[in-house]
Amino acid sequence: QVRLVESGGGLVQAGGSLRLSCVASGVIFRINTMGWYRQAPGKQRELVAAITRGGSTNVADSVKGRFAISRDNAVYTVWLQMNSLKPEDTAVYYCNANIQTTWATSMNDYWGQGTQVTVSS
């Protein structure tokens, strides 16, 4: 089965940086879009940034200019570089990937377990 494992979360002061990583493993034929979502307490999960297989990116306005997403297709990995972090960036960050497990199957969405990012003021 497919598994997404995130790492890199933690506690950081405002203005600091963190880099999140997410590695996909298991039975994988093709990965299309990969992305990062976040959910703060009492709020809905929201898209932070996404990147297509070809490298096109979509970054939320709230983090544009501070966060950058990248990926390496050869090792099924996506990263989120977060700079100039603010207390309002505090949330659980989830990795998402649109994956086709065999040539005959359709694409399906998979999620990681989430990693906590806490930004102190």
Side-chain angles (χ1 to χ4, degrees):
Q1 298 302 319
V2 174
R3 187 179 179 209
L4 300 181
V5 178
E6 302 114 332
S7 60
L11 172 64
V12 65
Q13 288 188 332
S17 298
L18 285 174
R19 191 186 196 209
L20 304 184
S21 301
C22 172
V23 181
S25 63
V27 180
I28 297 172
F29 174 71
R30 180 185 179 92
I31 301 180
N32 192 5
T33 300
M34 303 184 80
W36 291 93
Y37 288 72
R38 68 185 181 186
Q39 187 166 19
K43 295 189 176 181
Q44 288 190 329
R45 190 173 297 189
E46 63 176 0
L47 174 69
V48 178
I51 183 168
T52 67
R53 182 175 177 82
S56 296
T57 61
N58 178 27
V59 180
D61 288 342
S62 59
V63 303
K64 199 166 290 184
R66 300 187 296 120
F67 292 11
I69 188 169
S70 59
R71 66 187 282 176
D72 185 333
N73 293 330
V75 291
Y76 300 148
T77 301
V78 62
W79 296 275
L80 184 69
Q81 178 66 44
M82 305 186 294
N83 300 324
S84 302
L85 282 159
K86 303 175 180 180
E88 51 263 43
D89 295 318
T90 296
V92 177
Y93 283 70
Y94 296 91
C95 176
N96 170 267
N98 194 239
I99 297 175
Q100 187 178 6
T101 53
T102 73
W103 67 270
T105 58
S106 60
M107 307 291 285
N108 287 291
D109 270 345
Y110 293 86
W111 293 89
Q113 80 286 353
T115 184
Q116 176 70 46
V117 171
T118 303
V119 184
S120 63
S121 57

